[in-house]
């Protein structure tokens, strides 16, 4: 471990890394754009879960030791909020790339989050990242990992991927099966509504004593009349006039079809679990009392939003350490509305401790 934390000049002591082995796109049968369209843009549960976590992370009150650092992170670049954009990218893609743009004096002037599906890691002979290739609009640009002065130029934030040294794993791939089942259930329900919100039936022909079957022309005419006059939601409830030995036999839902309806709620819960969102906050069936909703909101912040913010803010502060020496970024827990009760309980416990001095109580509460 003597190589850990050293500069690239001593990189020869580093172990060799695999070059883009098992990346996020390797096991996926669909392109990234197709995954986003099918899994995010076409699924209300996924979209709400991602926005719930990303917008909470973007609205988290950030504190910094340096006001200039706080202003740099809080600024909007290209119409995007930095923390919210990175949070959504980490949830969906598993990777986030922040380009540090400097002014004429070499000081950081803007932080811009690159779209992760456009970025490819460029590694050296031993597999260590040295640059990032960004492709957009038919052109490509190589962004070095460090500038000429050895300072970080691109900050790479990634979620854990145990089989890849360069790319992280997003939640969209893990929830792909549940998303496909949920989308299929939604399409099935829509098709059921188009057929008068009831299962289909069978048109049975009874030839009677004559035993004369329907001709091919009669079968085609019946199909056209049924499709034009009796199929679809606009024709729901229209009476069917039958003659010539025809009768309508309604079909009921099978147990398998009833289970398929319940599968939609089960898939939605699995999607919520993959993105770290309590199902209650997404309006899924279950207990919905005020106390449970309050606990669910607190669990969302404690288990999902705060760890995600810590990862993002820690990576940004480390990338900007050359300009802001010793300055750190963190979430101000005292200003998080969902954690007010936790803070009040701490204040009550510390205030009731008579064996502590006033200065010790202030130190425990983080009050100067």
């Amino acid at each position: 471990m003597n190589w850990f934390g050293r500069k690239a000049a001593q990189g020869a002591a580093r172990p060799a890394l695999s070059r883009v082995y098992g990346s996020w796109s390797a096991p996926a049968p669909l392109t990234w754009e197709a995954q986003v369209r099918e899994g995010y843009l076409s699924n209300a549960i996924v979209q709400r879960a991602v926005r719930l976590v990303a917008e909470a992370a973007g609205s988290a009150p950030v504190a910094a030791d340096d006001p200039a650092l706080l202003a740099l992170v809080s600024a909007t670049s290209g119409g995007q909020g930095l923390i919210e954009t990175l949070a959504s990218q980490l949830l969906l893609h598993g990777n986030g790339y922040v380009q540090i743009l400097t002014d004429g004096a070499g000081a950081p002037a803007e932080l811009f989050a690159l779209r992760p599906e456009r970025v490819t890691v460029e590694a050296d002979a031993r597999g260590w990242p040295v640059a990032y290739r960004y492709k957009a609009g038919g052109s490509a640009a190589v962004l070095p990992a460090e500038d000429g002065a050895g300072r970080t130029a691109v900050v790479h934030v990634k979620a854990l991927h145990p089989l890849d040294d360069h790319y992280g794993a997003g939640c969209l791939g893990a929830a792909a099966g549940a998303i496909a089942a949920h989308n299929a259930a939604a399409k099935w329900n829509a098709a059921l509504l188009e057929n008068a919100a009831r299962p289909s039936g069978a048109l049975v022909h009874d030839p009677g004593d004559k035993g004369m079957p329907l001709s091919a022309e009669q079968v085609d005419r019946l199909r056209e009349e049924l499709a034009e006059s009796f199929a679809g939601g606009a024709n729901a409830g229209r009476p069917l006039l039958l003659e010539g030995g025809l009768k309508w036999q309604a079909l009921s839902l099978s147990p398998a079809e009833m289970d398929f309806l319940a599968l939609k709620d089960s898939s939605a819960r699995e999607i919520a679990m993959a993105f770290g969102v309590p199902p209650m906050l997404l309006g899924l069936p279950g207990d919905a009392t005020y106390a449970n909703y309050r606990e669910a909101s607190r669990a969302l912040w404690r288990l999902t939003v705060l760890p995600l913010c810590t990862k993002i803010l820690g990576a940004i502060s480390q990338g900007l350490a050359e300009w802001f020496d010793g300055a750190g970024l963190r979430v101000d827990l005292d200003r998080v509305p969902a954690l007010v009760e936790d803070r009040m309980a701490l204040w009550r416990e510390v205030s009731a401790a008579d064996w502590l001095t006033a200065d010790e109580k202030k130190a425990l509460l983080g009050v100067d």
Side-chain angles (χ1 to χ4, degrees), residues 152-167:
T152 303
V154 176
V155 178
H156 183 191
V157 190
K158 64 179 181 179
L160 175 64
H161 194 321
L163 299 180
D164 201 311
D165 295 326
H166 295 150
Y167 300 98

Side-chain angles (χ1 to χ4, degrees), residues 235-255:
N235 298 319
R238 174 175 293 185
L240 182 63
L241 179 62
L242 302 176
E243 60 181 352
L246 295 175
K247 63 179 181 179
W248 178 259
Q249 181 65 44
L251 301 179
S252 61
L253 289 174
S254 65

